[in-house]
Amino acid sequence: MNHILCGLAANPALPAELVDRLITVADDEIATELAARPDLGRAQALALAARDEDTAVHLAYKGRLTSADIDPVAQPQAALALLDTGAGLPEWARRFATDPVTGRREKLAACRDLPPDVTDTLAADSEIAVVAELALWTTPDMAARLARHPHAEVRRAVAANEATPPAVLEMLLTGDGLPPARRCLVCDRERTPAAHAHPHPADDLPPGAFCTGSHESTVHEMRRQALSNPATPARAAAGFAGHSSALLRWSLAARPDLSPEVGGRLVDDPLPGIRGDLAENPALDATHLRALATDMDPDVRRRLAHNPRVPLDLLTSLAGNTKIGATLLPRIAAATPAEVESLARSPVPAVRMLLAARRDLPPGTRDALAADTDAKVLKSIAPHPGLTEARLRDMIDRHGVRVLAKVATNPDASPSLLEHVTRHDPPVQKAFREVARHRNATAPSLLACLTDRQARPMAAAHPALPVPVIVELLGDAEGRVAEAAAANPSLPPAMMLKLIP
């Protein structure tokens, strides 16, 4: 990998004529960087697409190529990428529907809005992987048709397709109204009964795949997919709340149409993971939310705090006995002005810390939290816009290394404050990284950041770094640093020219 040329390819200040030169010498990594440039011209995109198909695929997905730019015979993957984005031609789809390469037919089957004759051809494909891929993405009518397919793997894919009609999903769950499946991936290759516990490298069966003639493991997975599918009717899903399979019960816990009855059964589930998913579900009613607040598992209580419908009094209680972290919780983000005032006056530091994670606080509340005596609160409020330099310096004076990195993330931190952060004794490594990426960082603070190994690449890419230092870093022993220097928009064009063969 040529780090210098990769960096140049990503440099936003690289002149167009040098982009042209770089295209002529690009390897795969350089081409990937060039293809991502927002200023790439049409002629440049065509030149990149012509050099290799992987780059052409990338450009097709970026919307930089049209059907007129691609020969489906010479670049089939790029043509499939255009079909996948809806920009391909119907005749391409018909060609690929009978392509001898299975992978191409499988890729085509995942494309949307295919002509009806193409989906009919794919639905009759001899390779189950192709039919299953079609079942996963196809239209409601075709999904209903494929739900009756004799292969259980195809039915499993239909169960995962959110376009599948609700009545069909219910039939897949119960089996009522559908003929039994006759085959699955296990009995396709092994005599039944067969337990597939340890796949060999060439095998695509999952561990635990099992069939005694009823395709048990595939049917189980089909039900799990249907229970996770939001289009499945709630009444049909509810019957699995007491199922012996933990995976099937788990699929219910996050459903947006969860009924109080199902929620009540899952609240007492023995698996913490199920109760954790349930705790985050906005469909859960207040009674069951309060029941989960006393859960013995701390992760369940932590996830309950992230539920947007958790009552505020319950949330403040959780903050006092659960490690939540300084993150903006949905319920805190939705707090009314009166609730914000109440939270700011809470005697529990963890509650004030959660409020401080908001970035739209009234100035009076913001400044009051910035004067808080608890370091956790200060770390949470330090990045808030609008704080004066005096308040930010006061945080550092009072709590030093505990708040230094967070102060450096404040968007209004002045150049002098950032220099103050880099001179702090003892130093804080994370603070160097924050300064190195800050828009207000100046040459003195960036030079200090170069002394930290993790901050060094970020500082090398900062446009405020002096040009002689950028040029010197092009020869850095660490490739990441040299690449960052080459990507620095302050690198002189004359130097860019010298770097391209």
Side-chain angles (χ1 to χ4, degrees):
M1 178 177 180
N2 189 318
H3 290 282
I4 295 295
L5 295 187
C6 278
L8 279 177
N11 194 317
L14 188 70
E17 61 271 19
L18 295 189
V19 173
D20 292 335
R21 287 188 57 173
L22 204 49
I23 289 172
T24 65
V25 299
D27 59 15
D28 290 347
E29 290 87 358
I30 297 167
T32 298
E33 293 290 350
L34 288 169
R37 291 185 65 90
D39 61 348
L40 196 69
R42 175 161 173 75
Q44 293 168 333
L46 292 175
L48 271 176
R51 64 170 303 281
D52 77 86
E53 190 167 19
D54 287 344
T55 305
V57 168
H58 183 81
L59 289 166
Y61 277 115
K62 287 281 188 180
R64 298 298 185 89
L65 300 176
T66 68
S67 59
D69 303 326
I70 294 296
D71 178 354
V73 176
Q75 293 185 307
Q77 296 301 329
L80 284 165
L82 283 179
L83 282 168
D84 196 25
T85 63
L89 300 177
E91 54 263 36
W92 292 359
R94 295 185 178 95
R95 177 188 182 279
F96 286 120
T98 57
D99 195 292
V101 179
T102 301
R104 292 176 188 167
R105 303 199 306 276
E106 193 171 345
K107 174 68 176 175
L108 176 67
C111 297
R112 311 284 183 140
D113 301 322
L114 294 172
D117 59 307
V118 172
T119 57
D120 285 342
T121 301
L122 293 171
D125 200 286
S126 59
E127 291 288 339
I128 290 303
V130 175
V131 186
E133 192 67 20
L134 176 68
L136 188 60
W137 304 105
T138 194
T139 60
D141 289 346
M142 179 57 76
R145 174 177 150 189
L146 291 177
R148 297 179 174 275
H149 196 280
H151 205 287
E153 185 66 15
V154 175
R155 299 185 183 197
R156 180 202 62 77
V158 172
N161 187 338
E162 294 187 12
T164 300
V168 175
L169 290 166
E170 185 170 357
M171 286 192 291
L172 289 170
L173 272 181
T174 64
D176 297 338
L178 293 177
R182 297 198 295 270
R183 297 157 50 207
C184 70
L185 293 179
V186 179
C187 60
D188 275 349
R189 64 186 74 184
E190 299 176 359
R191 287 187 177 185
T192 56
H196 197 83
H198 302 289
H200 57 77
D203 207 337
D204 59 356
L205 291 179
F210 184 79
C211 179
T212 65
S214 298
H215 326 299
E216 289 86 347
S217 62
T218 308
V219 169
H220 180 275
E221 178 61 14
M222 177 187 70
R223 287 175 171 166
R224 189 183 72 83
Q225 295 285 2
L227 291 171
S228 300
N229 193 324
T232 298
R235 66 178 185 280
F240 289 81
H243 200 278
S244 59
S245 168
L247 287 176
L248 297 187
R249 300 196 309 274
W250 208 324
S251 299
L252 293 173
R255 285 189 63 91
D257 56 4
L258 194 74
S259 68
E261 292 76 20
V262 174
R265 297 192 70 173
L266 296 178
V267 160
D268 297 320
D269 198 278
L271 281 188
I274 294 178
R275 303 196 307 275
D277 276 10
L278 186 68
E280 284 190 280
N281 192 336
L284 201 63
D285 62 27
T287 299
H288 295 125
L289 289 173
R290 292 189 182 278
L292 288 170
T294 61
D295 198 284
M296 296 298 293
D297 192 290
D299 190 58
V300 173
R301 301 195 305 273
R302 180 189 63 79
R303 296 180 68 181
L304 178 61
H306 287 262
N307 191 311
R309 293 189 60 191
V310 64
L312 199 57
D313 68 300
L314 193 59
L315 180 56
T316 57
S317 174
L318 286 168
N321 60 28
T322 305
K323 189 172 183 180
I324 299 171
T327 184
L328 181 57
L329 300 175
R331 183 62 182 86
I332 296 291
T336 65
E339 289 172 335
V340 166
E341 283 190 33
S342 175
L343 292 168
R345 294 193 302 267
S346 172
V348 182
V351 172
R352 303 196 302 274
M353 175 189 71
L354 292 174
L355 175 64
R358 282 183 58 154
R359 296 292 171 258
D360 59 349
L361 294 172
T365 304
R366 176 202 64 204
D367 292 345
L369 291 171
D372 204 284
T373 57
D374 193 285
K376 295 192 300 294
V377 179
L378 295 185
K379 286 174 66 177
S380 187
I381 196 67
H384 198 297
L387 288 171
T388 64
E389 180 166 348
R391 291 192 183 280
L392 292 170
R393 282 181 180 268
D394 179 63
M395 292 183 193
I396 296 174
D397 292 343
R398 287 189 288 134
H399 291 280
V401 296
R402 298 184 66 184
V403 301
L404 201 64
K406 288 296 185 181
V407 168
T409 67
N410 190 292
D412 300 325
S414 68
S416 61
L417 178 62
L418 295 174
E419 291 174 22
H420 178 65
V421 167
T422 61
R423 291 194 300 266
H424 192 274
D425 188 20
V428 175
Q429 283 190 316
K430 189 175 180 181
F432 283 118
R433 298 197 294 273
E434 299 297 348
V435 172
R437 61 167 65 99
H438 201 288
R439 64 186 180 187
N440 292 337
T442 55
S445 57
L446 291 169
L447 291 173
C449 292
L450 288 174
T451 63
D452 180 80
R453 184 175 179 275
Q454 293 188 50
R456 192 172 173 84
M458 302 171 197
H462 200 292
L465 196 66
V467 169
V469 179
I470 299 172
V471 173
E472 181 183 348
L473 291 173
L474 292 170
D476 199 272
E478 187 174 347
R480 290 187 311 146
V481 176
E483 185 173 342
N488 195 313
S490 293
L491 187 67
M495 179 55 67
M496 296 179 186
L497 179 62
K498 289 181 181 180
L499 295 172
I500 302 177

